Amino acid sequence: MLSEHEYFQQAEATRVRVLSEALPYIQQFAGRTVVVKYGGAAMKDGTLKDQVIRDIVFLSCVGIRPVVVHGGGPEINSWLDKLGIEPQFKNGLRVTDSATMDVVEMVLVGRVNKELVSLINRAGGQAVGLCGKDGNLFNARPEGQEGIGFVGEVTSVRINLLESLVNGGYIPVVSSVAADLEGQAYNINADTVAGELAAALGAEKLILLTDTAGILKDYKDPSTLIPKLSIQDARDLIDTGVVAGGMIPKVKCCVRSLAQGVKAAHIIDGRLPHALLLEIFTDTGIGSMIVGSEFTA
């Protein structure tokens, strides 16, 4: 049995090893853009939220340029309930009539976004809150399905504003609300927005924080995690039904961003403490990394 002194020596040695292991990754990714889609349990659990915020500030402090994209489904539901509006979903999409759209915009742009900005600033970062309407960052059009209301998809991205912010050392925090050419607001899936922004920015990485370990051969068994796969592997897993349900749009989002030049896309478990740092700065990582065939990083 270890003595107290030996235990602390061992703990310090582990800490030094982890820091040493991180160095080549810090050197490799310094100056590169990483787009993080933030949502799920990591947004609802206060302790996890603090850790994610600290991780984002850490990335910025070591020279990486993080861009954060967020959703906010649970808080939207909470406010709909307060206002007596029943949430409705169709084919996995939130049915967004005019009244619901008002709540979505109020919650995502006015509450969730500003809370994240405030938390990042309190942790030592310099965050700026945006939505698609700001500087016409991204525009929307109807998603296309009948009966879902103001659910949109991204039609165009203008990255001048984002580039100015990240070049100035700021951390953009982007909510997934945008307008069409007539000014009508639309609710857009945050994964989709993150993928489109990552592609437009030529990001080094797109990282989706989720409530699953990553891409699993058997969705019931976390030990079947697939740590690394190519675009073709990902497509094959969709075709064969290994990737199913809510994981399909996430994997498709990753594949689309990779096809447009993003170097690597990661699906990781945001329920794990410091998941971002573990995925980026350790040799083994913790989730699934999808890469284009020409890239190995």
Side-chain angles (χ1 to χ4, degrees), residues 35 72 195 266:
V35 176
H266 304 249

Side-chain angles (χ1 to χ4, degrees), residues 151-167:
V151 176
E153 61 184 17
V154 176
T155 58
S156 62
V157 178
R158 296 175 180 83
I159 58 170
N160 297 12
L161 179 56
L162 281 186
E163 288 184 326
S164 295
L165 290 170
V166 295
N167 288 339

Side-chain angles (χ1 to χ4, degrees), residues 220-275:
K220 297 177 181 176
D221 184 358
S223 70
T224 64
L225 176 72
I226 305 172
K228 186 174 180 181
L229 58 163
S230 68
I231 288 177
Q232 191 56 53
D233 292 334
R235 287 174 173 151
D236 291 344
L237 291 173
I238 293 173
D239 291 342
T240 57
V242 174
V243 169
M247 188 59 77
I248 291 176
K250 292 184 184 300
V251 173
K252 284 186 173 179
C253 163
C254 291
V255 167
R256 179 174 167 81
S257 69
L258 291 166
Q260 295 179 83
V262 175
K263 301 289 181 64
H266 304 249
I267 298 175
I268 67 173
D269 193 344
R271 299 168 300 182
L272 295 176
H274 300 295

Side-chain angles (χ1 to χ4, degrees), residues 173-186:
V173 180
V174 184
S175 60
S176 55
V177 170
D180 64 14
L181 297 179
E182 283 72 48
Q184 171 61 52
Y186 282 84

Side-chain angles (χ1 to χ4, degrees), residues 22-173:
L23 178 60
Y25 296 102
I26 292 172
Q27 292 171 322
Q28 180 181 355
F29 300 136
R32 308 291 179 86
T33 300
V34 171
V35 176
V36 178
K37 188 271 177 163
Y38 178 35
M43 183 175 277
K44 291 178 281 186
D45 181 292
T47 301
L48 286 172
K49 182 183 286 188
D50 288 343
Q51 290 168 344
V52 171
I53 296 300
R54 286 173 62 86
D55 289 357
I56 290 166
V57 174
F58 182 95
L59 294 179
S60 181
C61 287
V62 298
I64 294 171
R65 295 150 43 123
V67 175
V68 180
V69 178
H70 68 86
E75 189 155 349
I76 291 170
N77 289 342
S78 174
W79 276 90
L80 288 173
D81 184 57
K82 290 176 184 178
L83 295 169
I85 302 170
E86 184 176 349
Q88 296 181 52
F89 293 87
K90 182 177 180 180
N91 299 327
L93 297 172
R94 181 186 297 279
V95 176
T96 309
D97 59 14
S98 182
T100 301
M101 188 63 235
D102 286 344
V103 175
V104 167
E105 186 163 12
M106 176 190 77
V107 172
L108 291 187
V109 180
R111 289 185 59 85
V112 177
N113 187 273
K114 297 314 171 194
E115 182 198 11
L116 295 177
V117 166
S118 177
L119 288 171
I120 290 171
N121 289 344
R122 283 168 52 196
Q126 294 186 89
V128 176
L130 303 165
C131 72
K133 293 180 177 182
D134 293 304
N136 281 328
L137 177 56
F138 52 96
N139 292 116
R141 69 182 170 204
E143 192 271 344
Q145 290 189 47
E146 285 189 21
I148 58 172
F150 299 111
V151 176
E153 61 184 17
V154 176
T155 58
S156 62
V157 178
R158 296 175 180 83
I159 58 170
N160 297 12
L161 179 56
L162 281 186
E163 288 184 326
S164 295
L165 290 170
V166 295
N167 288 339
Y170 293 97
I171 301 171
V173 180

